Amino acid sequence: MSINLRTVYAFAREMYPKTSKETIQYGTAGFRGKAEFLDSVMFRMGVLATLRSRYRGGSVIGVMITASHNPEPDNGVKLVDPKGEMLEASWEAIATDLVNVSDQELEQQVAKIIKDNNIDVTTSSQVFVGMDNRYHSPRLLKAVADGVIALKGNVKEYGIVTTPMLHYFVVAANTKEAYGKPTEEGYYDKLIKAFELLRNGRLENGNYRNSIIYDGANGVGARKMLQFIKRMKGSLNVTVINQGIGVGKINEDCGADYVKVQQRPPKSMPEDVKPYTRCVSVDGDADRVVYFFTDDKGEFHLLDGDRIATLVAGYLMELVTQSEISLRLGLVQTAYANGASTDYIVDQLKFPVSCVPTGVKHLHHKALEYDIGVYFEANGHGTIVFSDNAKATIAQVAQTKESAKTLLLLIDLINETVGDAISDMLLVETILNHKGWDVQDWISSYNDLPNRQLKVKVQDRNVIETTDAERVCVKPEGLQTEINQVVANYKRGRSFVRPSGTEDVVRVYAEAATKEDTEILAYEVGLLVQNLAGGVGPPLTKPNSSAHL
């Protein structure tokens, strides 16, 4: 099989010319931006995925078209490596160079990638492509497919799927179906079978009631949840709101990010919802999940990724202890984890904790160092990974111990490849059912410290550099010293700043003993960023004034 790289150039020039002169940066999980500027990016990622597949000996590579929790006009692309992990870090630079060269330089750049990585272009390649339900996703999917075809690669289009489903398909195919069948039905079957075996016909237990309200963010997660419901035979009663069918824009006033950041329920909540009803929100591509409820006084309560992590870690530790198995367990967090959750995990659960920089690729990599690694970001993105040693040990003990049998079923219920909102939700429902807990039992395990996040617009986000898992700012010089001085004024105060991975803003996180102190601390640190890191735009509004931060 011979490949003429002129074909790549011809495709790009005629069908997917580069229309933006701005440099596109690789974010925490790929490229993201306004959909009208992404056609050339998508075509080139199709080219890159084909080369990556050949570089990895013909293994399947995944390409997911989604902007996740971003507004509907945005779109983006995520590449999935053979084991379901994010694209290898060293190839992020290759991807960045490829999307930023001019059309005239594209042929030469592709040739450089082939030469530098010693890629045999005569070998076969396989690329799986999926997309979310944004109106511009089909056009962008075609661009990816044409990029694959330009290098004579094989492409399989899955249509509208969640991001975790595409990760699952990639791993299932690359393990020759040992992980499951690489089909949509195979995905449903694996999760539902494990969930219903774990339920074992006991739909309610103690304070646990078998019904939830599910906010689908008007995204693909709503559509797939409706498919789950059709197949679940009443093992979980789910009311789906924000279905995105005919009305509602993706992530607009709904979804996991909205609920987490705004600290309020999504739009379209049923008016007759009873206090303490379990509610769950996923994001636009269903790789994040958070729980929430309203109490009998009408007050909103959030159960975020930290809460899910502590619930899961405690339950897994119970099962491992009951099974009398010696395994290394660990929980991985980021600096965004609430300080109270970390204290609870370390002091109460006695569960080892590691802190890594923001981004699922960092958490996943660290979690792989344990036999059972639990990782969740506070935003609700996370999963659990099991080593081969753990799986073999658990399988052996499961022959005689029920607790180990439960662990085996949990392994099937969990999508180890990436954070999966639906899989994680089914896991939480399983644990709450087994414990006989409702949301009041769950939230009473510890008290969150009040926290506040805000964004400060800057001229160039790259002026901010951090270390120590993003908890310490090293540039610009002097900023961290100023932050330390401000934080010292507040009981249980903590704050850090980090540059956004996708836009010219600096993200500020603050927590303290009281909500009032937290608001003021966030404001004061935000001011420091504005003054010392090239802030642009209107000044921050001081708390307790008529306008909020």
Side-chain angles (χ1 to χ4, degrees):
M1 176 178 62
S2 63
I3 291 177
N4 183 356
L5 296 184
R6 296 292 296 173
T7 306
V8 177
Y9 170 59
F11 251 121
R13 184 189 61 199
E14 299 298 328
M15 298 179 66
Y16 306 108
K18 193 171 184 292
T19 56
S20 174
K21 293 183 179 179
E22 289 188 18
T23 299
I24 304 171
Q25 291 193 2
Y26 198 96
T28 53
F31 299 105
R32 202 174 293 177
K34 298 299 180 188
E36 60 264 32
F37 298 118
L38 291 177
D39 295 73
S40 67
V41 173
M42 295 295 176
F43 173 76
R44 294 172 186 210
M45 287 304 95
V47 169
L48 188 74
T50 309
L51 294 174
R52 180 73 178 159
S53 175
R54 289 188 170 115
Y55 177 77
R56 292 299 300 267
S59 294
V60 175
I61 298 294
V63 181
M64 182 68 194
I65 298 159
T66 181
S68 190
H69 56 279
N70 279 34
E72 191 166 290
D74 291 353
N75 218 317
V77 58
K78 300 178 179 180
L79 266 68
V80 182
D81 257 357
K83 292 183 179 179
E85 70 274 50
M86 296 297 181
L87 180 66
E88 182 185 318
S90 63
W91 274 62
E92 291 179 7
I94 296 173
T96 303
D97 290 342
L98 185 63
V99 301
N100 283 297
V101 297
S102 68
D103 292 334
Q104 290 74 22
E105 297 169 308
L106 181 59
E107 181 184 347
Q108 182 181 349
Q109 187 67 27
V110 172
K112 182 177 186 299
I113 295 171
I114 293 169
K115 181 181 178 183
D116 289 351
N117 294 278
N118 197 26
I119 298 170
D120 184 354
V121 295
T122 65
T123 58
S124 65
S125 68
Q126 183 76 34
V127 178
F128 287 178
V129 189
M131 64 181 181
D132 66 14
N133 59 311
R134 293 165 201 263
Y135 62 89
H136 30 69
S137 289
R139 184 190 87 232
L140 299 178
L141 183 143
K142 184 179 185 302
V144 172
D146 282 346
V148 177
I149 293 167
L151 285 185
K152 296 187 178 180
N154 298 301
V155 60
K156 183 170 184 177
E157 299 176 14
Y158 278 91
I160 296 176
V161 293
T162 68
T163 294
M165 288 172 73
L166 187 74
H167 283 253
Y168 164 86
F169 299 149
V170 168
V171 175
N174 284 325
T175 58
K176 295 181 168 49
E177 302 192 5
Y179 192 70
K181 291 186 182 297
T183 64
E184 192 161 332
E185 246 0 279
Y187 173 80
Y188 297 139
D189 289 347
K190 182 180 181 183
L191 268 60
I192 292 172
K193 181 181 178 182
F195 180 70
E196 293 184 340
L197 285 171
L198 283 160
R199 242 160 170 62
N200 197 26
R202 187 175 66 173
L203 302 186
E204 300 199 338
N205 178 36
N207 293 329
Y208 178 85
R209 294 293 171 264
N210 189 43
S211 61
I212 61 168
I213 293 173
Y214 177 99
D215 163 27
N218 293 318
V220 61
R223 299 186 182 203
K224 301 311 176 185
M225 192 68 242
L226 293 170
Q227 294 300 317
F228 267 94
I229 293 168
K230 289 179 182 179
R231 295 162 173 80
M232 285 175 75
K233 305 170 188 172
S235 53
L236 182 63
N237 297 322
V238 186
T239 300
V240 181
I241 63 171
N242 297 315
Q243 297 182 11
I245 301 173
V247 294
K249 293 183 178 179
I250 295 172
N251 298 317
E252 185 172 271
D253 299 329
C254 59
D257 202 54
Y258 173 85
V259 171
K260 164 73 175 169
V261 174
Q262 299 298 324
Q263 300 276 310
R264 66 180 64 168
K267 67 179 180 181
S268 305
M269 284 289 290
E271 294 181 2
D272 58 348
V273 176
K274 294 180 180 179
Y276 303 107
T277 296
R278 270 190 335 281
C279 304
V280 61
S281 281
V282 305
D283 68 335
D285 66 336
D287 65 356
R288 295 184 183 188
V289 60
V290 296
Y291 275 73
F292 65 92
F293 68 93
T294 304
D295 64 22
D296 52 8
K297 296 178 182 177
E299 186 176 344
F300 172 86
H301 297 269
L302 179 71
L303 294 147
D304 62 6
D306 295 339
R307 292 281 181 177
I308 295 172
T310 55
L311 179 74
V312 171
Y315 186 62
L316 289 174
M317 180 166 271
E318 286 177 21
L319 292 175
V320 169
T321 302
Q322 291 168 12
S323 301
E324 299 178 309
I325 301 172
S326 178
L327 295 172
R328 290 185 66 245
L329 282 69
L331 190 144
V332 188
Q333 294 182 319
T334 71
Y336 282 107
N338 193 280
S341 75
T342 307
D343 291 345
Y344 174 73
I345 295 161
V346 174
D347 299 336
Q348 301 296 317
L349 297 181
K350 309 295 182 185
F351 208 97
V353 174
S354 299
C355 187
V356 298
T358 304
V360 65
K361 59 191 174 188
H362 301 299
L363 290 119
H364 193 91
H365 181 75
K366 186 67 178 178
L368 291 172
E369 295 180 11
Y370 299 99
D371 284 317
I372 301 178
V374 180
Y375 71 84
F376 275 87
E377 294 182 286
N379 62 27
H381 191 153
T383 189
I384 302 92
V385 292
F386 298 82
S387 69
D388 290 340
N389 173 58
K391 290 176 182 177
T393 304
I394 292 167
Q396 186 175 9
V397 178
Q399 297 174 28
T400 56
K401 289 187 180 290
E402 285 298 319
S403 52
K405 288 180 184 177
T406 300
L407 277 170
L408 269 187
L409 289 172
L410 288 175
I411 292 172
D412 276 345
L413 180 62
I414 293 163
N415 186 348
E416 293 182 71
T417 65
V418 73
D420 184 332
I422 295 175
S423 166
D424 289 340
M425 182 197 78
L426 295 176
L427 174 62
V428 168
E429 293 299 314
T430 296
I431 297 171
L432 294 177
N433 178 303
H434 285 189
K435 285 179 169 289
W437 279 10
D438 64 4
V439 286
Q440 290 173 278
D441 298 309
W442 184 7
I443 205 166
S444 66
S445 55
Y446 65 87
N447 295 317
D448 268 326
L449 288 170
N451 62 89
R452 183 78 166 97
Q453 295 182 46
L454 58 93
K455 296 193 292 187
V456 180
K457 289 188 176 182
V458 293
Q459 190 73 37
D460 178 10
R461 66 182 183 272
N462 294 310
V463 302
I464 296 283
E465 291 184 18
T466 64
T467 187
D468 191 20
E470 299 178 319
R471 291 175 288 189
V472 176
C473 180
V474 292
K475 286 187 179 179
E477 288 184 19
L479 177 55
Q480 186 62 50
T481 301
E482 297 284 344
I483 292 172
N484 293 345
Q485 291 174 355
V486 169
V487 167
N489 296 325
Y490 298 94
K491 184 180 179 181
R492 299 202 72 180
R494 183 171 74 93
S495 183
F496 66 90
V497 301
R498 56 176 287 269
S500 165
T502 56
E503 53 186 329
D504 280 322
V505 300
V506 175
R507 301 187 186 278
V508 175
Y509 177 91
E511 64 185 31
T514 67
K515 185 175 181 180
E516 293 75 18
D517 282 356
T518 301
E519 294 284 347
I520 298 170
L521 175 57
Y523 165 73
E524 291 181 349
V525 174
L527 276 185
L528 291 173
V529 172
Q530 275 197 330
N531 294 334
L532 299 176
V536 296
L540 296 173
T541 305
K542 193 170 183 178
N544 301 323
S545 63
S546 57
H548 215 295
L549 271 178

